[in-house]
């Protein structure tokens, strides 16, 4: 054991602590970086040598820079992202639709329907009155306008989903390509036993963000890469479509309407449908498709059913009744159209409104007007039910979104607890490593002085 | 469990956000004065409120129907009263000549008075309301009776319009003229007068006496109709008060479910404000802590 080896021990300390301070610096500067995983230096003593019959160490070395990463936590975060992506998209879109159905603070379709049928009540009290007849026509017009505008709102919302699908699929494709690129870089870095910690952080963050946009599964490979895939569970065994495998990436395709296609890394194709997403964990992509194809169309269908039964029932009575001159206009419909989008008033002559139920009772007979007025309750009840259904859908979506937020917050806290940078900890480490560095420097000065003493003896 | 400054910051942000949301929802209720501001606030209450509002609107419609029917029946009642008064006059006039009179001038005088009383009856029978004949059934534009002596026909129809005065409850609106002046089952008042005119002209005592008797029956007939109208009016009155009772019950339901209780909300608001301020001040204290300050 020579003094030189003491010098070398001091030197190994200086190098190691310098690296430790570098890592601490990296941690501190990334304290606010999304997806950053705290890194930890692992120090290890260098293989001891035997000196004077004793085994003595020969200094310290940096064994590795570890990433404080929890694979299970990452898995949970990714799954939670998919659920939260789905729920928040549904909640946002439904909240946009809700004001159209809000009868509580302003008059809407519901009161227009009531007003229309009540104008027939007014007509029944004075069946030959021109003013009453005119009122029936204007209330009918107001009701048609409400039907039309609600139908437009719903179909506009459907169109808007197509627009967001276009940008969404482009964004997803970018992410898939980026994940593949990062996989490649990670693999190359690890092959030369380099440290790809930061690249892995970026890749994992991308996978998490991707999962929010479309529900995916992933596997972590031993070479540091991550494969991303979706599973078609309708076949047995389930077919996997790999969107990223090593440095290859597949892609999604969307033509502005219709299905979203998937092309996997080997060129196999499928579409995004209920075979792939059986639950609600399909992220924004599946939520947007569900909104476009199922949720909003179901409201539209209800509205159309309501409009078409108003059309049919009022027309039937109008056509079987008698107008002010006692004429039966069996081909003159009151409303034209067949759904909420095209319902319109087709009568323009107030005299043609059939208030009487027989030729004899014209012009003052009101039996038919009463019969039409009595239709009211069928429609207002149906509409109130529809409004509260929309309300309960929105409220459910909001509750789910709130739950997801709370759950994500919980998971994020757990993740930070393991992987997050604590400034207090890093500052403490900084002081610790600095002191150690100073101490190692002291070893070197001491050894130098000893060397000087030894050399002076020679001189 | 490691707690980092950032996780404290995120938690603080999340909790402040929750507090702010609560504050916001209370403020919204106070500002709008409504408990349920959108269907999703309370879907069940939404259904109740919409249904109740709808029933309220219906009640208003029924009240308006009742008022209109009431006015129409009052017009009818006035006309019937006029007819009844005219008949009384005709009766006392005929009473003066029950045994005939040899004096042609007296007879002529009676005839001319009877003729003008007949015209008066027809005028009452042709009463119109808002340009429509009250006694012509649903042929509202046809004059039901003619002023020509000898023409005792009814030109209206027998349609009786009913008006809804409550859900599934109706009341007849009009009395058709054939029941008033030209009854076929009872006494045809107009032809009775026509007969009297010719009987007096020809001094046919027995015909005059028969006519006087018919007039009496006719008078009773009109009185019965007056009673019928009066009972309809009574029914309308009771329906009207029932409607207003229902209305206040429904308005109570609305006020219980939809109208915000400002007092309770004000208390909630101040509680929530205190909680929010406390979390703000706690957050600002904790977020300021850092080891850096002591190094």
């Amino acid at each position: 054991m020579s003094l030189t080896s003491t010098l070398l021990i001091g030197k190994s300390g200086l190098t190691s602590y310098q690296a430790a301070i570098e890592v601490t610096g990296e941690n501190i500067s990334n304290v606010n970086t999304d997806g950053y995983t705290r890194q930890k230096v692992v120090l290890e003593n260098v293989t001891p040598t035997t000196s004077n019959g004793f085994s003595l160490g020969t200094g310290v070395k940096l064994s590795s820079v570890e990433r404080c990463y929890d694979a299970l936590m990452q898995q949970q975060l990714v799954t939670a992202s998919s659920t939260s992506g789905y729920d928040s998209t549904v909640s946002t879109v439904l909240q946009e639709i809700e004001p159209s159905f809000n009868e509580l603070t302003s008059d809407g379709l519901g009161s227009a329907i009531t007003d229309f049928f009540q104008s027939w009540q007014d007509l029944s009290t004075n069946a030959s009155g021109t003013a009453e007849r005119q009122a029936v026509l204007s209330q009918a017009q107001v009701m048609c306008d409400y039907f039309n505008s609600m139908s437009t709102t719903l179909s506009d919302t459907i169109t808007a989903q197509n627009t967001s699908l276009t940008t969404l699929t482009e964004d997803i494709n970018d992410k898939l390509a980026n994940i593949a690129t990062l996989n490649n870089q990670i693999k190359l870095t690890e092959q030369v036993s380099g440290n790809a910690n930061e690249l892995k952080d970026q890749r994992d963050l991308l996978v998490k963000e991707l999962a929010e946009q479309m529900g995916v599964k992933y596997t972590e490979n031993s070479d540091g890469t991550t494969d991303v895939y979706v599973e078609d569970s309708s076949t047995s065994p389930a077919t996997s479509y790999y969107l990223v495998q090593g440095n290859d990436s597949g892609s999604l395709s969307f033509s502005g309407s219709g299905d979203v296609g998937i092309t996997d890394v080997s060129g196999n194709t499928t579409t995004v449908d209920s075979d792939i997403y059986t639950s609600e964990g399909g992220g924004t992509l599946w939520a947007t498709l569900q909104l476009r194809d199922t949720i909003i169309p179901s409201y539209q269908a209800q509205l159309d059913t309501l409009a078409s039964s108003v059309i049919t029932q009022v027309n039937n009575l109008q056509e079987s009744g008698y107008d002010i001159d006692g004429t039966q206009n069996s081909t003159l419909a009151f409303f034209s159209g067949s759904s909420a989008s095209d319902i319109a008033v087709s009568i323009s002559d107030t005299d043609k409104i059939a208030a009487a139920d027989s030729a004899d009772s014209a012009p003052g007979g009101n039996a038919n007007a009463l019969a039409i007025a009595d239709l009211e309750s069928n429609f207002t009840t149906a509409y109130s039910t529809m409004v509260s259904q929309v309300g309960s859908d929105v409220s459910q979506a909001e509750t789910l979104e709130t739950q997801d937020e709370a759950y994500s917050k919980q998971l994020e806290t757990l993740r930070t607890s393991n992987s997050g940078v604590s400034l207090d900890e890093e500052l403490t480490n900084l002081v610790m490593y600095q002191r150690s560095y100073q101490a190692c420097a002291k070893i070197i000065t001491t050894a130098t002085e000893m060397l000087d003493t030894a050399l002076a003896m020679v001189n | 469990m490691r707690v980092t400054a950032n996780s404290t910051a995120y938690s603080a942000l999340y909790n402040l956000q929750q507090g702010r949301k609560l504050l916001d929802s209370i403020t919204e209720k106070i500002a709008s004065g409504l408990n349920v501001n959108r269907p999703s606030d309370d879907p069940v209450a939404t259904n109740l409120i919409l249904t109740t509002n709808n029933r309220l609107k219906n009640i208003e419609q029924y009240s308006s129907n009742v008022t209109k029917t009431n006015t129409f029946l009052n017009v009818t009642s006035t006309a019937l009263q006029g007819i009844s008064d005219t008949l009384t006059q005709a009766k006392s006039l005929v009473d003066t000549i029950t045994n005939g009179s040899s004096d042609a001038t007296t007879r002529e005088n009676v005839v001319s008075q009877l003729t003008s009383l007949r015209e008066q009856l027809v005028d009452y029978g042709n009463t119109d309301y808002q340009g429509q004949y009250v006694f012509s059934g649903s042929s509202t534009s046809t004059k039901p009776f003619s002023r020509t002596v000898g023409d005792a026909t009814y030109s209206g129809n027998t349609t009786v319009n009913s008006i809804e005065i409550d859900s599934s409850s109706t009341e007849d609106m009009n009395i058709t003229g054939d029941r008033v002046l030209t009854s076929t089952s009872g006494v045809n008042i107009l032809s009775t007068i026509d007969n009297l005119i010719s009987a007096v002209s020809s001094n046919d005592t027995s015909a005059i006496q028969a006519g006087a008797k018919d007039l009496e029956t006719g008078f009773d007939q009109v009185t019965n109709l007056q009673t019928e109208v009066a009972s309809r009016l009574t029914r309308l009155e009771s329906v009207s008060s029932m409607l207003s009772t229902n209305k206040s019950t429904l308005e109570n339901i609305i006020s219980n479910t939809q109208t915000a209780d400002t007092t309770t909300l004000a208390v909630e608001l101040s509680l929530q404000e205190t909680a929010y301020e406390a979390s703000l001040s706690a957050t600002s204290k904790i977020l300021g802590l850092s080891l850096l300050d002591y190094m």
Side-chain angles (χ1 to χ4, degrees), chain A residues 176-390:
Chain A
L176 292 176
N178 283 339
I179 293 172
T181 313
L182 283 167
N183 266 347
N184 191 30
Q185 289 171 357
I186 291 165
K187 202 162 92 181
L188 292 177
T189 314
E190 303 240 312
Q191 269 168 359
V192 294
S193 39
N195 177 355
N197 285 352
E198 276 82 3
L199 293 175
K200 283 182 175 171
D201 283 345
Q202 284 177 32
R203 199 248 344 262
D204 291 347
L205 181 67
L206 273 178
V207 171
K208 191 183 144 214
E209 285 174 358
L210 174 70
E212 195 174 334
Q213 292 180 328
M214 69 178 290
V216 288
K217 295 178 174 168
Y218 70 92
T219 44
E220 292 175 350
N221 302 320
S222 54
D223 60 359
T225 61
T226 292
D227 292 346
V228 178
Y229 63 99
V230 289
E231 234 172 24
D232 180 348
S233 49
S234 68
T235 59
S236 182
T239 322
S240 296
Y241 292 91
Y242 278 90
L243 292 167
V244 176
Q245 197 166 34
N247 48 8
D248 293 327
S249 65
S251 65
L252 299 189
S253 57
F254 180 64
S255 62
S257 62
D259 285 335
V260 174
I262 294 180
T263 310
D264 78 354
V265 287
S266 346
N268 300 323
T269 56
T270 184
T271 51
V272 179
D273 53 24
S274 53
D275 289 338
I276 290 178
Y277 297 117
T278 44
S279 68
E280 293 180 344
T284 309
L285 179 71
W286 183 232
T288 313
L289 284 169
Q290 286 286 84
L291 281 165
R292 187 195 70 178
D293 298 336
T294 313
I295 302 174
I296 306 175
S298 88
Y299 296 149
Q300 221 171 16
Q302 285 186 47
L303 198 63
D304 283 343
T305 312
L306 188 65
S308 85
S309 48
V310 168
I311 296 170
T312 328
Q313 297 188 26
V314 172
N315 280 354
N316 281 346
L317 285 169
Q318 158 74 23
E319 285 162 11
S320 66
Y322 292 81
D323 69 7
I324 204 164
D325 304 317
T327 317
Q328 189 179 34
N329 302 298
S330 56
T331 52
L332 183 63
F334 192 94
F335 291 115
S336 61
S338 58
S339 67
S341 60
D342 60 2
I343 182 174
V345 184
S346 58
I347 276 191
S348 54
D349 183 357
T350 53
D351 286 352
K352 298 278 184 241
I353 293 173
D357 65 342
S358 65
D360 292 343
S361 61
N366 71 353
N368 206 41
L370 272 187
I372 292 178
D374 279 346
L375 296 173
E376 182 198 340
S377 58
N378 305 339
F379 304 119
T380 44
T381 316
Y383 184 70
S384 299
T385 313
M386 188 178 168
V387 169
S388 47
Q389 196 214 317
V390 172

Side-chain angles (χ1 to χ4, degrees), chain A residues 126-195:
Chain A
N126 186 11
S128 49
T130 318
E132 282 81 357
R133 284 169 176 267
Q134 191 55 55
V136 168
L137 285 193
S138 17
Q139 292 299 350
Q141 189 56 53
V142 171
M143 185 179 74
C144 291
D145 289 347
Y146 270 112
F147 266 121
N148 297 158
S149 92
M150 283 185 74
S151 175
T152 312
T153 308
L154 292 178
S155 46
D156 283 355
T157 315
I158 290 178
T159 318
Q161 303 314 307
N162 275 333
T163 317
S164 45
L165 278 176
T166 309
T167 47
L168 190 62
T169 45
E170 279 168 14
D171 209 13
I172 288 175
N173 284 340
D174 283 350
K175 288 209 167 75
L176 292 176
N178 283 339
I179 293 172
T181 313
L182 283 167
N183 266 347
N184 191 30
Q185 289 171 357
I186 291 165
K187 202 162 92 181
L188 292 177
T189 314
E190 303 240 312
Q191 269 168 359
V192 294
S193 39
N195 177 355

Side-chain angles (χ1 to χ4, degrees), chain B residues 40-291:
Chain B
S40 58
D41 285 354
D42 189 341
V44 179
T46 300
N47 202 0
L48 179 68
I49 293 166
L50 290 186
T51 320
T52 314
N53 271 335
N54 201 42
R55 282 176 63 197
L56 270 176
K57 271 191 139 184
N58 285 338
I59 284 181
E60 271 162 36
Q61 181 64 45
Y62 293 135
S63 302
S64 138
N65 288 358
V66 166
T67 314
K68 284 180 187 163
T69 315
N70 203 42
T71 319
F72 189 89
L73 284 173
N74 274 321
V75 172
T76 311
S77 170
T78 314
L80 287 175
Q81 185 59 47
I83 290 172
S84 160
D85 291 349
T86 315
L87 285 176
T88 314
Q89 283 181 45
K91 266 178 2 186
S92 54
L93 179 65
V94 172
D95 280 348
T96 61
I97 202 163
T98 7
N99 296 318
S101 168
S102 48
D103 182 4
T105 327
T106 314
R107 294 206 308 271
E108 250 171 58
N109 194 16
V110 170
V111 166
S112 93
Q113 279 192 56
L114 274 176
T115 313
S116 73
L117 285 175
R118 186 194 190 276
E119 280 172 2
Q120 212 170 309
L121 284 175
V122 168
D123 286 349
Y124 279 124
N126 288 343
T127 301
D128 73 326
Y129 171 62
Q130 290 183 336
Q132 294 170 3
Y133 295 106
V134 171
F135 291 109
S136 63
S138 66
S139 309
T140 48
S141 50
T142 315
K143 218 177 238 191
F145 304 109
S146 159
R147 291 177 78 165
T148 320
V149 177
D151 182 2
T153 53
Y154 169 62
S155 316
N157 64 17
T158 54
T159 306
V160 176
N161 275 342
S162 25
I163 301 300
E164 270 189 39
I165 51 173
D166 202 347
S167 49
S168 69
S169 155
T170 58
E171 179 59 272
D172 290 345
M173 191 172 187
N174 56 322
I175 300 238
T176 53
D178 59 335
R179 296 176 63 201
V180 187
L181 292 178
T182 56
S183 173
T184 44
S185 56
V187 171
N188 185 329
I189 294 173
L190 287 186
S191 65
T192 305
I193 304 252
D194 289 346
N195 292 340
L196 272 170
I197 288 172
S198 64
V200 170
S201 309
S202 58
N203 204 13
D204 179 346
T205 323
S206 64
I208 293 175
Q209 281 168 358
K213 218 177 146 195
D214 281 350
L215 266 189
E216 194 67 47
T217 323
F219 178 79
D220 290 345
Q221 210 170 283
V222 173
T223 311
N224 284 343
L225 289 177
Q226 279 182 292
T227 318
E228 189 180 329
V229 170
S231 71
R232 284 189 199 173
L233 283 167
T234 317
R235 171 154 185 241
L236 288 183
E237 202 164 305
S238 74
V239 165
S240 167
S241 80
M242 193 191 73
L243 285 176
S244 58
T245 316
N246 280 352
K247 190 177 170 194
S248 60
T249 314
L250 294 177
E251 274 167 351
N252 258 334
I253 295 179
I254 292 283
S255 102
N256 286 340
T257 43
Q258 176 66 317
T259 313
D261 178 357
T262 326
T263 323
T264 318
L265 284 176
V267 174
E268 268 179 43
L269 181 67
S270 87
L271 283 177
Q272 190 53 39
E273 251 171 12
T274 317
Y276 188 63
E277 269 168 26
S279 60
L280 276 182
S281 104
T283 306
S284 73
K285 272 183 191 145
I286 291 171
L287 287 186
L289 290 178
S290 167
L291 191 55

